[in-house]
Every structure is written in structure tokens, then in C-alpha cells.
Amino acid sequence: MNIIEMKSIKKDYPLGETVVHALRGIDLDVEEGGFISIIGPSGSGKTTLLNIIGCIDIPSAGSVKIGGEEITSLDDRRLTNIRLFKVGFIFQTFNLIPVLNLLENVEFPLLLMKEGGLTKGEIRKRAQKCIEEVGLGSFMDHRPAELSGGQRQRVAIARALVTKPQIVLADEPTANLDSETGATILSLMKHLNETEKTTFVFSTHDSDVLKYASQVIKIRDGHIIDIDGPGAAKKMKKKAGPAKRGTR
Amino acid sequence: MALILKIAWRNIQRHRGKSLVVGIIIFLGAMTMTIGNGVIAGMDRGLKENVIDRFTGDVVIISAKQDQDNVIFTPMGRDIEVIPGYEKVKKVLEGKKFIDRFLPVAKGLTIILNENGDMSYALALGVRFDEYRKMFSDSTDLVEGTLLKNDDRGILVSTGNRKRFFEEQNFWVIPEGFSFNEKNFMKESSKKSGVIDKRTSLVLMGGSNENSTMDIRVDVKGVMKFKHLDDFWNHFNIMDIESFREVYQYVTASDTAAVIPKEKKRILEKDNLDDLFGGEVLEKVETRKQGYDVSTLMGKKVVQKKLDVDSGAYNLIFVKLGKGADAEESVLELNAAFKSSGAEARAIIWRDAVGQIADLSAIMRGATRGFVFLIFIVAIIIIMNTLSMAALERVSEIGMMRAVGAHKSFISGMFLSEMTVISIIFGCAGIIAGIVSVYILNAINITTENRILELLFGGSVFRPVLGIFDILKGFAYLALVTLIATAYPLRVARRITPLDAIMRD
Ligand SMILES: Nc1ncnc2c1ncn2[C@@H]1O[C@H](COP(=O)(O)OP(=O)(O)OP(=O)(O)O)[C@@H](O)[C@H]1O
Ligand SMILES: [Mg+2]
């Protein structure tokens, strides 16, 4: 099943007198459980694409379905609910609420889910488990300011996963980290992708990442110019159906 | 909710500087407001005590013919109309249960003359003094001499008028039968040197511009000072009603009874000043019925042995209402009763009778309110700015919360909680500080002789008060200010999108 279906997505930004065409017609389907990397030069539209998938931006034209639900016509309240229940986010920086400690930060989205049906105890347990999975079990009561950049990104991953979302989106999650820490973060993501079967979509400049990806989507000037990758190739053979290519 | 409060509380601590700025502004605003409310309430109480309870009563009855309501300090000392047929009016007043007591008086401008041709003006209140004391027991302090008795002839001169007479006519008034009190002289008079011309009686002429009047010499019985709002009231001397009527050529009760206690009266015709100052007494009573029909004034009680003062003329009746009676309603009811009984009188509220004092105090009240309002506006603007800046500084944080799934209502809740907590802590502290200040201001007994401050104080002592209602009102205003000040920053915060957070990166 396709967890993401995008058809003829365009995004224009008005910039003074002119208009910037950030996305010029993207067609993209993403299968459940994938580990998808978006690469492309600066200004090619990676962030814009991820924002639209994550329901924090709306396309100028085209249709987007997340888990089968068309999102382009939803109001703020519904979009917020999709972000809360279906999507997990990992930003480049500033992922955490400074006044909450690590455990509270990870609990945060669960506490927002009023209809989630979890008790306080269950929420705590689940948050603790996620934190332990990212290897920060001994830092539960530290505030974000007391952690290193890599540790903060790990907390962000734990928070993104704690709600058991269908998709986790990450916009250059390793850009602010040194390459060694970046590599551990990526392998952690890959590990969680495999164990939790969560779909990951992330953008990166880092070509090392390619070896992890099930699919690599190359974009330039708002177009998808190629979809490929070792994982993608394997899967394509298995399922005998190529992912849709961006039209030029 | 617990989560919102937790985040709000920690944010307050995290942004301690801003919280403190907003908190201090709220504290000062709440304190100023509380003190302001105390001053206004104290002023209302003061005016009630010092005007209603000590001079006019709650309601004033005037003649139906009197067109200007402003009867106490009439412009240019103009005359006010006599109430015709007092008996009828009295009957109406006596029949009303909501009236506690009432006092008929005659009020007018008198001219104080001397042999050099100098003159001074003074307002006079003609009363039966015992009745006056019953009605306004606490309004004057006797400085020298004695008080009047009901049937005494004589005048009580206010210290204010004594000082004015001395400045204008160079004589110093001392009560008859009393010696010169040097201490009071040094205290009251502005000129201290030279030979002092001391007088124990005054030659008065009615200052009427409509009726002809008479000059009479009246003994000074005492010198008095009004306890409160003396700056206003000290234009009044208090004299016996009979002498007043003679000066004003109203028909007197003495005329009615045809009894003339010679030793008490020294009445002269007008333009006979030489005789007056020569001390020669001309015992001549002449009733001139200028403008007033004797029969309406006197009713039918023409022949009576005892002096029936009430059958003479009055031009004002001060009415005190019983507890709980509403002044406005009482005025309506009295006017209806006057109409149906054919009494040619009109009831007005005290405020209208002392136009200038009421107007000035309304201005003072307005100014106090305006000041508090201004503080509010300034507070709201500062808080609004600080919070809007706080919202903008937290774009990344708020945008990230929204990206993770927080609804707008969560952001509102967080902001409102922060403001509410600050507002409760500092606002309550401010209100308490205000209450304490009001008590302290009360305790340190600030007194004034300045007439403007006297109005603000509602008397010569600054006595701000705070009732439970005023305090509750304070809390309501505090909540209102908090809401208004938070409304705009809240809008700013609610409009922050996840995208704003990302673009910041
Ligand atoms: N809010 C905006 N207003 C105007 N133009 C924008 C806005 N956001 C993005 N753009 C433009 O859209 C294009 C795509 O931007 P986007 O951020 O998606 O690129 P990117 O691939 O993420 O680049 P980078 O690798 O530098 O992060 C760029 O030309 C950018 O200038
Ligand atoms: Mg980008």
C-alpha cells in the first residue's frame, strides 16, 4: 500500500514582483515501510517537498494523500491532527521544548493526544522505552540545553516515534552534526525503520546515506529527475513495479 | 491542562526578566487602581458626610418659582425665591416616613457696612439655632463666644468672614461680652500690626437686588469654624431667622405676633445709618410687603401669643432622609406630593443645590478615574508589547510545538496561563498593597486646607476607604486588563505556523 501519493504537486512562492516555482509538478508514490532519501542541490525543493508531505505547508496545485487521506483541502485543525497522529517530525535544529526535560519532551505528543486513550502510566512507560531505544536511558531528567547536538537529535527521533506514526519525516537531520555522529543517527533511524516498520522520508546532502536508503529520489529545480538506489532497486525487482518517475 | 500549566509555569521562570517586567507593571497598575478606587470611595463618603450630613441634607426643598437649582452658592449672590405657604410644605414633609428630619432656613447675601462707607459681602443662613444643631450637630466648631439659642437675636461669624472683614474693613470681630483673644487673632489674621478696631456687633444690609432691604445691627454671639470644607462654607455666617427676615424684609413672626422684645431688637429704617452707628435705637417696626402676600406667608395664624417662627418666610428646607431611602426616588415622591397638595415647592437633590461643589467633585472624580484609566492604558500597551515580543522570540518553539501536533488552542492556553499566573500573583499583590496603602493613608491622617484637595478628600482629612465591593471590582478590572493586554499577543502566537519555525532555521 502507498502511504504517500502525490500527483502533479506544484508550489509557488510569491517573492516580491516575481514568483519562485519551488516545485514544478511532482508525482511520487511511497510504499509503506520504506527508507526514502531525497537528495538534490541547494534550492532544489527538498524542504518544500517534505513540508508538504508533513502537512506543515500546502501545495499551490495538485493532490496529496497521506495514508489514503487527501490533505490539500483540510483546515488547520485537521492538518494538526494528521501531524499529531500520522506523522513524526525530526527537524535540523530546535526540535525540543526547552523548559521540559528529556522524558517530558518525548511524552509531549502523547499528552496532546487526548483521544489517544493511554493512561499517564502507559504514556510514561512508552516514552521511557523510546528513550532507551535511542540510548539515552540515563538522561531522562536532563533538559535539552544539557545535551549535545547528537543527543538532541536522538531525543527528536524518540519523540517522532513515540506516537507510532505512519511516516517519520526528517529534513537534513544530520546537517548540524559531525560525520561520525551523523552516521550513528542514520543507522539508528535505519534500525528503527527495520524493527518498527515505520516509513522514513528524509532529505540529505550526504552521499553516505545512499547505502541505507530503500529509495533515493533525486530532485532538481522542483522536478524529480531520478528515483533509484540499492534498496529501491531490490524492492522494485521484488514487487516488479517501478515507482513513478517525476515528469520533466 | 496540567501540561499547559507546567509549561506555562516553567516558561515564566525561564523568561524571568520579561515575567518580572509584566508582573511589576501589573502590580503597579493594580495598586494604583485600588488606591484610586479608595480615593473615589472616600471622596463619596466624605462628600456625603460633609455636604449631606453637615450642610444640605440629602434633599433640598426650594420654591416652585425658583428656576435655578443651584441655590446655595448662587452666582453673584443672587436671591432665591421665598417658599410661599411653608405650613403646607411642612405638612407634606411631616407625612413622609422616609424623611428623618428637616430644617427650614432662609439664605441670602448680606452686606456688612461701616461708618466709612466700606462694605463686605457675606452669605447668611437664618435659622432657629437649636433646630439647626439638631439637624447638623457636627458641622461647626465654636472658636470664641457662645452659640445661639432658639429665640436669641444674634449672629455667629465664621472665621473666614472675620478674616475677610478685617482685610476689607479693618475691624476685628469679637463676640459680645468676650474679650479680645490675641492667640486667635495672630492665627487667623494676615495683618498683625497697628491698632485693632474691635467690634462686637455688625451692621447688616440685605444684599437683595429685587426687594428693598433694611439695615440692622446684630450682636455677634460667637465666632465659629466649619469642621469640613470650611473653604466653601466659611462664606456663610449663621444668624437667627428673625433678624434675617428683618434684613431681607420678609414678614417676621414678630410682626405676626405683634410682640416686639425691645431690648433684643434694634431695627432701623434703611438709609438711617447715622443712627445705627450712633447707637441710638429707633424702635420702629414697619412691615413692607414687597412681593409677598402676607396672608400666604402667615397663613391664618395672625394672632398668637407665642412667637410662631414657622409662619414667617423661609426660602430653603434641608431634608435628611432615613436610612436606606433613595434620594432620587424621594425627590420624585416629594414633588408629586407637593403637586397634589398644592404646595408651591419643589424638591431637588443635594447635588443640584450645591452646583459648584458637586461639579468640582465630579471633575475630581473624573480626573481620578481618568488617571487610573491612563495607568491602565499605559500598562496594557507595555504588557502587550512585551508579550508580543515574547511571542515572536518563541516562534521556533511554538512553531515546533504546532508541527508536532499542538493545536492553536494549546498555544492560547499556554499563553493565557502564563499571563493569568503572573496576573494573579502580581495583581493580587498589587491589590493587597493598594489596600494596605489605603489603610496607611487613612492612618497617617493627611489634612488639608486647600479647597481643591478638600474636594478630592471629600473633607479636610484624607480618608480613602475600600469596601468589599470596591475590592471585587478591582479584581474584575484586573481580569479585564489581563485579557485585553493578552488578546493581541495571543493572536500573534496563534498565527505562528510550523513553517515559521522552519524558516527561522
Ligand atoms: N517561504 C519561501 N518564500 C520564497 N521562496 C521560498 C520559500 N521557501 C523556499 N523558497 C524557495 O523555493 C526553492 C526551494 O527551496 P527549498 O527550501 O525547498 O530547497 P532545499 O532543496 O531544501 O534547499 P537546501 O538544500 O538549501 O535546504 C528555493 O529557490 C527557495 O529559495
Ligand atoms: Mg532545505
Side-chain angles (χ1 to χ4, degrees):
Chain A
M1 194 200 137
N2 288 330
I3 191 84
I4 302 167
E5 291 179 12
M6 302 180 97
K7 280 198 180 64
S8 336
I9 289 301
K10 290 183 181 157
K11 180 70 190 180
D12 300 332
Y13 290 109
L15 196 73
E17 304 275 283
T18 60
V19 175
V20 179
H21 303 287
L23 298 177
R24 297 163 186 255
I26 299 275
D27 292 295
L28 176 69
D29 291 343
V30 173
E31 275 181 28
E32 217 172 338
F35 196 70
I36 288 111
S37 171
I38 300 173
I39 59 168
S42 184
S44 55
K46 304 181 294 291
T47 300
T48 309
L49 185 60
L50 280 169
N51 287 348
I52 289 173
I53 297 171
C55 297
I56 61 179
D57 204 351
I58 38 173
S60 311
S63 100
V64 184
K65 282 186 184 164
I66 303 293
E69 189 176 2
E70 176 63 51
I71 59 157
T72 43
S73 56
L74 297 181
D75 61 11
D76 179 76
R77 166 162 281 282
R78 296 252 183 84
L79 286 175
T80 307
N81 276 333
I82 292 184
R83 294 198 293 266
L84 179 56
F85 290 98
K86 294 191 174 173
V87 184
F89 259 106
I90 303 162
F91 298 112
Q92 207 172 57
T93 54
F94 215 92
N95 267 297
L96 305 174
I97 300 167
V99 294
L100 298 182
N101 68 27
L102 206 153
L103 181 62
E104 290 162 338
N105 260 292
V106 176
E107 284 177 344
F108 182 73
L110 287 177
L111 290 169
L112 291 177
M113 291 178 166
K114 281 173 201 123
E115 57 268 52
L118 291 178
T119 65
K120 279 226 157 107
E122 287 167 335
I123 288 175
R124 177 128 302 185
K125 246 190 213 145
R126 208 201 276 188
Q128 280 167 340
K129 190 175 154 261
C130 282
I131 294 168
E132 270 152 19
E133 266 174 58
V134 299
L136 290 172
S138 51
F139 292 88
M140 300 266 189
D141 53 1
H142 285 56
R143 294 256 177 116
E146 299 158 7
L147 302 176
S148 73
Q151 285 171 322
R152 271 183 243 167
Q153 285 310 75
R154 284 201 241 172
V155 180
I157 291 168
R159 200 223 10 231
L161 284 165
V162 78
T163 59
K164 302 197 188 298
Q166 296 172 347
I167 312 164
V168 171
L169 301 169
D171 190 11
E172 302 188 39
T174 58
N176 279 17
L177 306 174
D178 61 85
S179 54
E180 203 175 314
T181 319
T184 34
I185 293 293
L186 277 170
S187 57
L188 174 65
M189 281 166 56
K190 180 68 188 166
H191 170 73
L192 292 167
N193 165 249
E194 280 163 359
T195 53
E196 308 278 329
K197 304 280 177 256
T198 310
T199 311
F200 274 78
V201 182
F202 56 95
S203 68
T204 183
H205 282 286
D206 188 352
S207 49
D208 279 1
V209 172
L210 300 181
K211 61 179 183 259
Y212 295 106
S214 64
Q215 226 176 6
V216 176
I217 297 165
K218 288 184 186 156
I219 69 172
R220 183 181 292 159
D221 296 334
H223 293 287
I224 294 182
I225 53 165
D226 192 18
I227 300 183
D228 204 5
K234 265 182 253 162
K235 272 198 175 166
M236 265 186 269
K237 268 178 202 163
K238 263 186 206 163
K239 301 220 167 180
K244 272 189 187 163
R245 288 178 184 250
T247 48
R248 261 218 95 137
Chain B
M1 198 61 209
L3 176 67
I4 290 182
L5 279 179
K6 178 159 65 180
I7 295 179
W9 178 240
R10 291 197 191 159
N11 268 326
I12 290 173
Q13 292 173 310
R14 177 156 190 254
H15 306 280
R16 220 167 279 139
K18 277 203 187 63
S19 308
L20 209 63
V21 168
V22 171
I24 287 172
I25 303 270
I26 289 183
F27 174 87
L28 291 176
M31 187 167 99
T32 317
M33 171 190 72
T34 309
I35 296 176
N37 283 342
V39 170
I40 290 175
M43 177 168 132
D44 286 346
R45 192 181 70 173
L47 283 179
K48 171 159 172 34
E49 281 175 4
N50 300 320
V51 180
I52 298 181
D53 295 354
R54 295 196 165 109
F55 208 91
T56 64
D58 306 89
V59 171
V60 178
I61 313 289
I62 58 178
S63 163
K65 291 202 197 95
Q66 173 68 28
D67 48 357
Q68 295 273 330
D69 284 358
N70 185 11
V71 286
I72 304 287
F73 297 104
T74 44
M76 312 294 291
R78 254 213 330 266
D79 293 352
I80 54 175
E81 299 281 343
V82 167
I83 301 173
Y86 170 66
E87 290 289 332
K88 256 184 195 166
V89 180
K90 185 178 173 187
K91 221 172 215 159
V92 170
L93 296 179
E94 279 169 350
K96 295 292 173 199
K97 284 207 182 66
F98 58 81
I99 291 178
D100 181 33
R101 53 171 64 239
F102 59 92
L103 175 79
V105 302
K107 183 232 121 181
L109 182 72
T110 57
I111 301 169
I112 288 82
L113 305 167
N114 75 5
E115 50 274 66
N116 310 330
D118 299 335
M119 54 169 91
S120 299
Y121 293 90
L123 289 168
L125 209 57
V127 298
R128 301 193 74 202
F129 197 76
D130 291 341
E131 306 298 324
Y132 178 81
R133 290 288 283 184
K134 270 185 214 151
M135 178 93 166
F136 301 115
S137 54
D138 197 27
S139 62
T140 54
D141 282 326
L142 187 67
V143 178
E144 283 171 39
T146 59
L147 294 173
L148 289 170
K149 302 230 167 37
N150 257 358
D151 295 323
D152 277 355
R153 287 300 184 108
I155 188 165
L156 297 179
V157 177
S158 74
T159 49
N161 278 329
R162 168 153 81 169
K163 185 179 171 198
R164 273 188 286 276
F165 297 160
F166 188 58
E167 281 163 6
E168 290 161 9
Q169 304 197 34
N170 274 313
F171 64 75
W172 185 252
V173 172
I174 49 178
E176 195 197 37
F178 286 80
S179 52
F180 175 65
N181 183 326
E182 190 165 0
K183 215 173 82 199
N184 285 346
F185 174 76
M186 295 310 283
K187 201 168 78 189
E188 290 173 35
S189 78
S190 43
K191 301 180 285 182
K192 314 277 180 203
S193 59
V195 185
I196 306 157
D197 177 9
K198 297 158 200 151
R199 306 224 169 160
T200 60
S201 65
L202 294 175
V203 174
L204 302 182
M205 181 172 99
S208 169
N209 33 25
E210 280 143 35
N211 311 308
S212 61
T213 60
M214 218 163 157
D215 310 328
I216 66 166
R217 181 181 282 278
V218 189
D219 288 338
V220 175
K221 291 288 180 188
V223 173
M224 48 96 190
K225 186 172 176 11
F226 290 91
K227 279 188 181 161
H228 291 275
L229 298 177
D230 182 65
D231 240 328
F232 295 89
W233 303 139
N234 77 21
H235 292 276
F236 278 94
N237 294 324
I238 297 177
M239 60 196 289
D240 72 280
I241 181 76
E242 288 291 276
S243 302
F244 183 95
R245 286 172 179 160
E246 282 165 11
V247 173
Y248 257 78
Q249 283 290 282
Y250 293 167
V251 177
T252 68
S254 318
D255 300 329
T256 321
V259 174
I260 307 145
K262 291 171 192 166
E263 69 287 350
K264 284 186 182 168
K265 279 193 196 168
R266 291 183 280 182
I267 307 167
L268 286 177
E269 275 192 271
K270 203 179 172 198
D271 303 325
N272 217 344
L273 279 171
D274 285 346
D275 289 331
L276 260 182
F277 292 113
E280 191 185 309
V281 180
L282 222 164
E283 292 172 7
K284 180 178 172 191
V285 182
E286 192 178 350
T287 311
R288 293 182 213 164
K289 301 155 205 156
Q290 280 96 4
Y292 302 110
D293 178 2
V294 183
S295 61
T296 42
L297 296 176
M298 300 194 298
K300 290 176 184 104
K301 301 175 184 172
V302 178
V303 183
Q304 274 177 325
K305 292 228 170 95
K306 200 175 153 245
L307 273 184
D308 181 359
V309 204
D310 281 357
S311 61
Y314 294 110
N315 54 18
L316 290 176
I317 307 166
F318 298 138
V319 178
K320 271 190 183 174
L321 299 176
K323 274 214 170 71
D326 180 75
E328 320 259 345
E329 279 170 27
S330 306
V331 163
L332 290 179
E333 198 171 332
L334 281 172
N335 281 328
F338 291 147
K339 208 167 188 183
S340 63
S341 68
E344 292 176 64
R346 193 155 64 87
I348 58 174
I349 211 150
W350 70 274
R351 235 178 279 119
D352 296 332
V354 282
Q356 292 87 336
I357 293 186
D359 289 351
L360 283 171
S361 70
I363 290 171
M364 300 305 294
R365 182 199 321 255
T368 312
R369 290 239 166 90
F371 178 72
V372 170
F373 186 71
L374 201 76
I375 298 274
F376 270 14
I377 297 291
V378 171
I380 285 174
I381 290 173
I382 297 178
I383 295 171
M384 214 145 86
N385 256 308
T386 316
L387 288 184
S388 300
M389 273 165 54
L392 291 177
E393 270 171 28
R394 277 146 72 174
V395 163
S396 307
E397 190 182 330
I398 292 170
M400 182 268 298
M401 285 176 167
R402 298 276 285 123
V404 170
H407 286 276
K408 281 185 175 175
S409 55
F410 183 89
I411 306 299
S412 310
M414 193 175 79
F415 244 75
L416 267 181
S417 306
E418 276 181 43
M419 246 330 262
T420 307
V421 169
I422 294 180
S423 169
I424 287 176
I425 294 175
F426 288 90
C428 289
I431 288 177
I432 291 169
I435 296 172
V436 171
S437 311
V438 163
Y439 275 93
I440 292 174
L441 286 172
N442 240 314
I444 54 181
N445 237 339
I446 302 172
T447 58
T448 184
E449 302 252 310
N450 177 298
R451 61 179 356 201
I452 296 298
L453 279 180
E454 273 204 327
L455 275 177
L456 183 66
F457 295 1
S460 52
V461 189
F462 190 34
R463 288 247 176 279
V465 286
L466 276 173
I468 286 291
F469 182 71
D470 296 308
I471 295 171
L472 290 179
K473 210 165 64 183
F475 281 106
Y477 283 146
L478 180 65
L480 190 72
V481 166
T482 308
L483 274 180
I484 293 175
T486 322
Y488 178 71
L490 201 65
R491 216 171 100 100
V492 172
R494 281 172 68 97
R495 285 189 161 190
I496 295 171
T497 64
L499 215 51
D500 295 326
I502 291 165
M503 303 226 303
R504 278 234 162 166
D505 291 354

